[in-house]
């Protein structure tokens, strides 16, 4: 079954059954592996992408039902052309294993778009669905505050 | 190394005889230099097994695998320090399976003498032991040894490469090399050359030994270096094993017998074949693989295959397993690694303090589920991509599984999405190789579902401990700890090597026998249980168990003595090991220990000397309307020489979070011989909102200069007892069973 998706501004075609979740269409169908598989049940947040700017768990969204613009970590910024939030992540040396960080960054991107100056409890509320087994939470928190400052400074 | 198992077994026996007889071990093997596995390619000239000179910089080949601990950055910094390259010119890759990448640091983990005594002993006191990692091609990442093993090796790799490049320039200029200097990837003299220009001429000029630079001149070491993997990991461009993507590849998953070790009596693949995208169901002997056009369809289909599972040879449920473990107390202790003074005489005086503690099995639950990509090519060679901690062993196991010689197998070790000890086993790569055998010519990615990853793990063992102590006034005069536990090391080594070395099992008593408490009568025993649940190495191994037992019990003794629990520890340690006492004093001061005690709050302290690094933690908890919260944590550690303070801080923090996750709600339980917990909703780690804030202090007093302790694991052992001790302080209730969430109401 051929399905059209708009990913990072590009119209792409994927040939997979319509009930396959977006996560697997990105990873296995399109070879876009920046979005990660962690649990398959929306319990870890590793697969978080933006659909029309809202953070969603791509492991729970059948491709046959996706409407809207999909943004993945690849579309946020790349080496040499980093988004502010990625610069903040690097400045605070957040990642350890790094596996959850695509999802963390996408979730934080959605938070900052909605709330440009989040408090610690705003961050707790927004980020509680994103697991990190390396325990990078304190540096994630610092990087989100940093990104908010950078965005404010323009 | 066609038959790794056989060679290793024989060699261990020879080694045993050599050590026992005090004889010199085959001298030629000890001094032999392993061959360089790297081959030159266009624009890439290897000068030794660790340094490749490229047109635009250098590539450091890391002998240890990166699973988040930052080791690739520190190993590269060791090379760069001597090689005189700018940090922006440095790349790092993991090396192929090869003896050259043996881990010299494992020597530090081969002694049954407590580390706090070893730390002040001369380094190469036993040449036979020091040669073991090389002789046995121990290309292993584990035991918090990466920087220790690389400290001399990687600096020497950089220094010899630098001298070779200088010698090449000296030849060109007709001057002596000592008239030249090096800077930012250039040799500078009357004329200057880039390293790339000189590399091919330098190949033949690499010296075997050169003096290393004085630490006072270090530019990179001891400083927080920007991690070389940070940009890739912040942009989704880091290539984990699970991200391997080859044209035409198929996607598969496995479903193995949940009654671990049991047979598969039969299966019906028909229901799976009805799922769109499914192409094949493969018989793997004790389970099946499903191959599909995408991973999700494979996972859905695998669940539908009707399988008749045979039974495991262990008890049906957790309760019966604990009864089995408890039975080990009836046997004589087989791992008594500490027996100071005369415990029995002292305890016979009566007035004893006694307690029993229980802990459950634990899963590793790394964020990246187990996976491997395998491709059996038309020319009969096998290529594998699999994040792993033991490349030579993994390659050889894959070769054996598909009937190839090891030299026909290429193994890549990509970065790992967490390891925590859970990627030591060869199982993922071997099963992928077996799937590839059925798909000859087509690459296949095999991904474990989270449920399969969790229920097919090799677990941290469950255990029971009984401790008895005696006080004379406020002073501890005796301590006898007994841990009953199935041995993780014997279980894992039997599975991976087909044998386990005889003798006491350090892993079952570490964290208990080896602590710098100057209790005059101090005995610590391991009673190894015969329970056969599959076990593995879990971050900090036995320390994660015994630190909970010992540090909870020391706290109980302090309270029985009416003493401050931190001061009680400090007094027992001061005369025994000053650097350990110093980390306790540091954590007291930085946490404002005395002021932490106030209504509505609890404070707990714990200590553990593990992997060469004494580490003390204080944790604050608060009673709130939503339940108990962990609010703030303080860590003081002393790894001796601290190579990268930012990475050490991250490891200490992350390791404590890992320990607290397990302490609050981590438990793997069994029912009907199968693991009950399957995903993060019933094996729930800490999240952003219930993780405390952290402050970390790194002291550098331990051992002589150059002594290094590990940093990846020592932050885990004190976490659980610090929490239990804080909860006692808050509530007056002593939690003697993990996870503590069963008895205490934590805020979600």
């Amino acid at each position: 079954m051929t399905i059209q998706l708009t990913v990072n501004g590009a119209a792409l075609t994927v040939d997979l059954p319509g009930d396959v979740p977006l996560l697997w269409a990105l990873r296995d169908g399109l070879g876009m592996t920046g979005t990660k598989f962690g649990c398959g049940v929306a319990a870890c947040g590793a697969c978080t992408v933006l659909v029309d700017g809202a953070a969603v768990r791509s492991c729970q969204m059948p491709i046959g039902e996706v409407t809207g613009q999909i943004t993945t970590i690849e579309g946020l910024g790349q080496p040499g052309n980093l988004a502010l939030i990625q610069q903040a992540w690097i400045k605070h040396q957040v990642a350890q294993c790094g596996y959850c960080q695509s999802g963390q960054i996408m979730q934080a991107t959605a938070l900052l778009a909605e709330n440009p100056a989040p408090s610690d409890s705003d961050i707790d509320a927004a980020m509680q669905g994103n697991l990190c087994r390396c325990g990078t939470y304190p540096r994630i928190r610092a990087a989100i505050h940093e990104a908010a400052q950078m965005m404010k400074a323009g | 190394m066609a038959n790794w198992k056989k060679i290793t077994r024989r060699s261990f026996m020879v080694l045993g005889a050599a050590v026992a007889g005090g004889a010199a071990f085959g001298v030629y093997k000890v001094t032999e230099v392993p061959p360089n596995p790297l081959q030159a390619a266009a624009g890439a000239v290897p000068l030794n097994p660790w340094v490749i000179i490229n047109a635009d910089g250098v590539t450091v080949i890391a002998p240890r695998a990166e699973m988040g601990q930052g080791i690739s950055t520190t190993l590269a910094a060791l090379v760069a320090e001597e090689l005189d390259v700018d940090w922006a010119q440095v790349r790092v890759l993991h090396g192929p399976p090869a003896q050259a990448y043996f881990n010299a640091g494992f020597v530090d983990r081969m002694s049954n003498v407590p580390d706090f005594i070893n730390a002040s002993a001369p380094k190469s006191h036993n040449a036979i032991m020091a040669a073991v990692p090389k002789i046995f091609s121990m290309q292993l990442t584990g035991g918090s040894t990466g920087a220790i093993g690389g400290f001399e090796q990687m600096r020497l790799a950089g220094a010899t490469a630098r001298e070779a490049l200088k010698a090449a320039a000296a030849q060109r200029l007709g001057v002596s090399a000592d008239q030249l200097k090096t800077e930012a990837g250039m040799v500078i003299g009357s004329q200057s050359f880039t390293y790339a220009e000189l590399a091919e001429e330098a190949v033949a000029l690499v010296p075997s030994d050169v003096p290393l630079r004085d630490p006072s001149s270090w530019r990179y070491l001891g400083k927080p270096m920007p991690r070389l993997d940070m940009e890739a990991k912040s942009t989704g461009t880091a290539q984990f094993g699970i991200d391997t993507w080859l044209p035409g590849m198929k996607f598969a998953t496995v479903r193995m017998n949940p009654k671990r070790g049991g047979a598969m009596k039969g299966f019906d693949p028909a229901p799976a074949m009805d799922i769109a995208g499914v192409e094949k169901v493969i018989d793997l002997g004790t389970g099946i693989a499903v191959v599909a056009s995408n991973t999700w369809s494979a996972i859905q289909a695998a669940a539908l295959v009707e399988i008749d599972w045979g039974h495991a040879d262990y008890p049906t449920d957790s309760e019966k397993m604990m009864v089995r473990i408890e039975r080990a107390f009836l046997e004589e202790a087989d791992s008594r690694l500490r027996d100071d003074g005369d415990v029995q005489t002292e305890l016979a005086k009566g007035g004893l303090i006694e307690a029993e503690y229980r802990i459950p099995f634990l899963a590793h639950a790394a964020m990246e589920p187990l996976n491997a990509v395998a491709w059996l090519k038309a020319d009969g060679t096998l290529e594998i991509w699999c994040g792993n901690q033991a490349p030579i062993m993994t390659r050889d196991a894959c070769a054996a599984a598909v009937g190839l010689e090891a030299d026909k197998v290429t193994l890549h070790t990509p970065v790992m999405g967490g390891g925590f000890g859970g990627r030591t086993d060869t199982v993922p790569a071997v099963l992928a190789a077996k799937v590839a055998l059925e798909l000859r010519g087509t690459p296949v990615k095999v991904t474990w579902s989270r449920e399969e990853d969790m229920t097919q793990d090799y677990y941290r063992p469950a255990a029971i401990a009984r401790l008895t102590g005696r006080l004379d006034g406020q002073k501890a005069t005796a301590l006898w700890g007994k841990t009953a536990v199935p041995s993780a090391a014997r279980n894992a080594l039997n599975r991976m090597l087909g044998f386990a070395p005889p003798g006491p099992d350090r892993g079952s008593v570490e964290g208990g026998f080896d602590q710098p408490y100057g209790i005059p009568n101090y005995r610590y025993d391991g009673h190894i249980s015969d329970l056969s649940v599959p076990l593995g190495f879990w971050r900090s191994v036995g320390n994660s168990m015994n630190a909970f037992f010992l540090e909870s019990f020391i706290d109980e003794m302090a309270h029985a003595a009416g003493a401050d629990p931190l001061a009680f520890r400090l007094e027992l340690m001061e005369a025994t090991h000053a650097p350990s006492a110093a980390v306790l004093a540091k954590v007291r001061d930085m946490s404002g220990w005395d002021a932490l005690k106030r209504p509505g709050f609890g404070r707990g302290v714990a200590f553990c000397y593990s992997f060469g690094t004494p580490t003390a933690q204080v944790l604050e908890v608060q009673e709130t309307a939503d339940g108990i919260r962990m609010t703030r944590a303080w860590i003081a550690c002393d790894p001796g020489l601290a190579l990268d303070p930012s990475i050490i801080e991250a490891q200490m923090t992350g390791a404590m979070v890992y320990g607290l996750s397990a302490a609050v709600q981590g438990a793997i339980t069994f029912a009907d011989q199968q693991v009950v917990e399957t995903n993060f909703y019933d094996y729930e780690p800490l999240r952003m909102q219930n993780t405390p804030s952290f402050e970390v202090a790194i002291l550098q007093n331990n051992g002589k200069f150059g002594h290094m302790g590990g940093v990846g694991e020592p932050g885990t052992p004190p976490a659980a007892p610090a929490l239990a001790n804080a909860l006692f302080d808050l509530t007056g209730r002593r939690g003697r069973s993990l996870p503590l969430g069963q008895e205490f109401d934590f805020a979600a």
Side-chain angles (χ1 to χ4, degrees):
Chain A
M1 182 173 172
T2 302
I3 289 171
Q4 296 273 342
L5 297 169
T6 310
V7 186
N8 302 327
L12 301 174
T13 304
V14 63
D15 183 20
L16 285 171
D19 59 350
V20 171
L22 176 59
L23 168 67
W24 298 108
L26 291 169
R27 291 186 56 82
D28 294 355
L30 297 168
M32 297 176 66
T33 54
T35 305
K36 304 301 187 200
F37 164 54
C39 70
V41 295
C44 79
C47 68
T48 304
V49 300
L50 305 183
V51 177
D52 291 336
V56 301
R57 306 291 183 238
S58 65
C59 75
Q60 297 300 303
M61 180 170 274
I63 46 173
E65 295 171 20
V66 179
T67 55
Q69 303 275 331
I70 300 155
T71 308
T72 68
I73 186 78
E74 288 93 345
L76 206 61
Q78 288 291 294
N81 182 29
L82 298 167
L84 281 181
I85 191 165
Q86 292 167 319
Q87 293 171 31
W89 241 250
I90 292 167
K91 179 172 178 190
H92 286 270
Q93 296 281 296
V94 173
Q96 289 186 30
C97 91
Y99 193 79
C100 73
Q101 299 297 344
S102 294
Q104 304 277 3
I105 290 170
M106 298 314 286
Q107 188 72 42
T109 299
L111 165 65
L112 290 170
E114 202 175 273
N115 179 354
S119 65
D120 277 343
S121 59
D122 294 336
I123 292 172
D124 283 344
M127 304 302 292
Q128 63 175 332
N130 290 76
L131 277 180
C132 173
R133 289 289 279 154
C134 299
T136 65
Y137 302 120
R139 290 192 186 187
I140 290 174
R141 186 187 300 282
I144 292 173
H145 284 306
E146 177 88 29
Q149 287 298 318
M150 289 164 75
M151 286 161 62
K152 192 173 158 196
Chain B
M1 292 296 242
N3 191 334
W4 203 82
K5 272 188 193 178
K6 198 180 283 175
I7 290 169
T8 310
R9 181 190 293 127
R10 191 174 61 227
S11 304
F12 256 116
M13 283 157 58
V14 171
L15 174 77
V19 172
F25 193 71
V27 175
Y28 83 98
K29 271 199 141 180
V30 174
T31 55
E32 198 176 29
V33 178
N36 185 351
L38 305 177
Q39 292 180 352
V45 182
L47 294 185
N48 55 44
W50 305 275
V51 177
I52 297 173
I53 305 295
N54 306 111
D56 59 346
V58 300
T59 302
V60 171
I61 303 299
R64 303 282 76 79
E66 180 61 58
M67 49 189 137
Q69 79 278 42
I71 191 64
S72 53
T73 295
T74 298
L75 292 173
L78 287 161
V79 170
E81 187 66 65
E82 291 284 345
L83 189 53
D84 288 330
V85 283
D86 283 346
W87 195 235
Q89 296 173 303
V90 181
R91 278 181 298 270
V92 61
L93 292 174
H94 186 274
Q99 188 196 8
Y101 304 121
F102 71 87
N103 185 347
F106 256 95
V107 179
D108 283 21
R109 305 287 169 262
M110 290 176 170
S111 165
N112 285 337
V113 176
D115 277 349
F116 76 89
I117 294 169
N118 264 344
S120 41
K123 206 49 174 168
S124 53
H125 56 286
N126 188 331
I128 295 169
M129 290 303 274
V132 168
K134 182 165 78 178
I135 294 168
F136 298 114
S137 300
M138 291 171 69
Q139 188 184 11
L140 301 173
T141 303
S144 290
T145 55
I148 300 164
F151 183 56
E152 288 211 354
Q153 190 180 54
M154 299 307 278
R155 284 186 300 151
L156 199 56
T160 55
R162 179 195 71 223
E163 290 306 311
L165 292 159
K166 278 167 70 180
Q171 273 186 0
R172 283 196 185 187
L173 296 173
V175 298
S176 87
D178 56 17
Q179 291 176 261
L180 304 171
K181 61 173 192 164
T182 46
E183 196 180 303
M186 308 267 296
V187 180
I188 296 164
S190 59
Q191 196 186 334
S192 296
F193 305 97
T194 66
Y195 286 175
E197 289 175 283
L198 299 166
E200 285 186 26
E201 291 151 57
V203 170
L205 303 173
V206 182
S208 61
D209 202 7
V210 296
L212 296 173
R213 284 181 172 155
D214 191 84
S216 62
S217 71
W218 284 349
R219 292 190 299 153
Y220 298 145
L221 302 177
K223 315 267 188 321
M225 298 304 293
R227 281 179 59 145
L228 295 172
D229 52 357
M230 194 56 69
E231 187 177 67
K233 288 177 174 178
S234 306
T235 52
T237 53
Q239 289 282 304
F240 297 87
I242 205 169
D243 299 331
T244 308
W245 207 84
L246 300 164
M249 78 191 303
K250 300 292 180 190
F251 302 88
T253 196
V254 290
R255 190 173 147 215
M256 309 307 289
N257 192 340
K259 300 174 181 184
R260 305 295 297 280
M264 181 169 70
K265 295 190 237 170
F267 69 95
D268 177 9
M273 299 306 293
D274 291 342
I275 299 283
V278 170
E279 298 177 11
K280 199 169 186 177
V281 178
I282 294 170
D283 182 350
L284 292 173
T286 56
I288 53 115
V290 174
V291 183
S293 63
N294 69 92
T295 307
W296 185 79
S297 295
I299 291 172
Q300 304 308 303
L304 297 177
V305 177
E306 285 167 16
I307 308 178
D308 185 8
W309 297 121
H311 290 288
D313 66 357
Y314 48 71
T316 50
D317 57 45
S318 299
E319 206 175 316
K320 293 193 177 73
M321 288 178 183
M322 294 310 273
V323 170
R324 179 77 159 263
I325 291 170
E326 192 169 18
R327 220 197 278 162
F329 284 125
L330 300 174
E331 307 286 325
E332 206 165 310
D334 47 17
S335 299
R336 175 171 294 167
L337 288 182
R338 179 111 167 228
D339 197 10
D340 294 350
D342 183 348
V343 166
Q344 274 155 307
T345 301
E346 181 63 20
L347 291 178
K349 294 176 184 168
L352 305 183
I353 300 156
E354 294 176 286
E356 181 180 290
Y357 305 90
R358 288 172 179 249
I359 58 171
F361 295 99
L362 292 172
H364 297 86
M367 287 306 297
E368 180 191 11
L370 294 175
N371 65 85
V373 172
W375 185 6
L376 189 64
K377 298 178 182 176
D379 65 3
T381 61
L382 178 70
E383 195 163 357
I384 305 258
W385 291 257
C386 182
N388 74 89
Q389 297 174 231
I392 294 175
M393 192 169 75
T394 301
R395 177 200 61 191
D396 293 356
C398 290
V402 298
L404 287 175
E405 288 297 315
D407 64 0
K408 295 279 188 284
V409 179
T410 304
L411 171 72
H412 305 274
T413 301
V415 296
M416 287 171 254
F420 316 119
R423 295 191 200 272
T424 319
D425 266 78
T426 59
V427 172
V430 166
L431 289 183
K434 287 181 176 174
V435 173
L437 192 59
E438 302 293 321
L439 295 173
R440 199 172 279 272
T442 302
V444 60
K445 183 191 300 189
V446 186
T447 304
W448 274 236
S449 67
R450 173 57 59 190
E451 291 77 10
E452 194 72 6
D453 179 290
M454 201 165 282
T455 56
Q456 294 289 327
D457 196 4
Y458 296 98
Y459 302 101
R460 199 288 306 271
I464 305 170
R466 292 175 180 162
L467 285 90
T468 308
R470 189 171 182 278
L471 292 164
D472 187 355
Q474 282 212 337
K475 203 170 158 39
T477 58
L479 177 114
W480 187 355
K482 303 172 184 178
T483 299
V485 61
S487 164
R490 288 182 192 171
N491 189 299
L493 291 175
N494 273 317
R495 178 172 66 249
M496 291 189 275
L497 305 180
F499 81 106
D505 185 50
R506 178 193 167 123
S508 292
V509 290
E510 63 187 5
F513 85 94
D514 49 356
Q515 299 305 302
Y517 287 121
I519 301 169
N521 306 285
Y522 185 159
R523 174 183 281 179
Y524 212 91
D525 291 341
H527 296 257
I528 307 303
S529 165
D530 60 357
L531 180 68
S532 63
V533 170
L535 305 174
F537 304 103
W538 189 91
R539 196 173 194 170
S540 83
V541 198
N543 295 286
S544 76
M545 311 184 294
N546 291 299
F548 173 67
F549 306 145
L550 179 63
E551 286 297 295
S552 295
F553 190 69
I554 292 277
D555 224 65
E556 299 208 38
M557 290 185 82
H559 287 288
D564 175 283
L566 199 152
F568 184 78
R569 286 174 170 81
L570 200 50
E571 200 178 311
L572 286 171
M573 222 173 260
E574 262 164 345
T576 322
H577 191 243
S580 292
V583 299
L584 263 177
K586 180 69 186 175
V587 86
R588 175 195 63 204
D589 297 344
M590 68 198 283
S591 67
W593 173 257
D594 292 335
L596 289 179
K597 186 140 185 73
R598 59 207 195 280
F601 288 85
R603 59 178 189 178
V605 62
F607 169 92
C608 186
Y609 192 126
S610 67
F611 304 94
T613 301
T615 304
Q617 299 176 345
V618 166
L619 181 67
E620 178 190 67
V621 294
Q622 182 184 12
E623 184 72 62
T624 75
D626 302 326
I628 296 167
R629 286 192 178 283
M630 298 183 285
T631 43
R632 293 184 290 171
W634 296 265
I635 306 173
C637 62
D638 191 339
L641 180 61
L643 288 183
D644 188 316
S646 174
I647 287 175
I648 295 172
E649 192 239 1
Q651 286 306 297
M652 285 292 157
T653 303
M656 188 173 180
V657 173
Y658 198 76
L660 289 174
S661 286
V664 173
Q665 34 202 8
I668 289 292
T669 62
F670 287 80
D672 189 25
Q673 292 198 321
Q674 306 182 36
V675 168
V676 173
E677 293 74 20
T678 59
N679 207 317
F680 290 126
Y681 48 71
D682 51 12
Y683 191 80
E684 171 90 337
L686 293 188
R687 292 172 180 270
M688 177 72 85
Q689 78 278 7
N690 51 17
T691 295
S693 66
F694 286 88
E695 198 182 318
V696 178
I698 302 165
L699 307 183
Q700 301 191 61
N701 305 317
N702 198 17
K704 296 197 175 111
F705 182 82
H707 165 80
M708 248 186 282
V711 301
E713 297 174 270
T716 296
L723 175 58
N725 296 340
L727 292 171
F728 178 78
D729 190 50
L730 180 71
T731 67
R733 278 186 292 139
R734 175 63 62 181
R736 296 192 182 94
S737 290
L738 297 180
L740 293 159
Q742 291 175 342
E743 288 175 57
F744 295 87
D745 177 27
F746 287 92

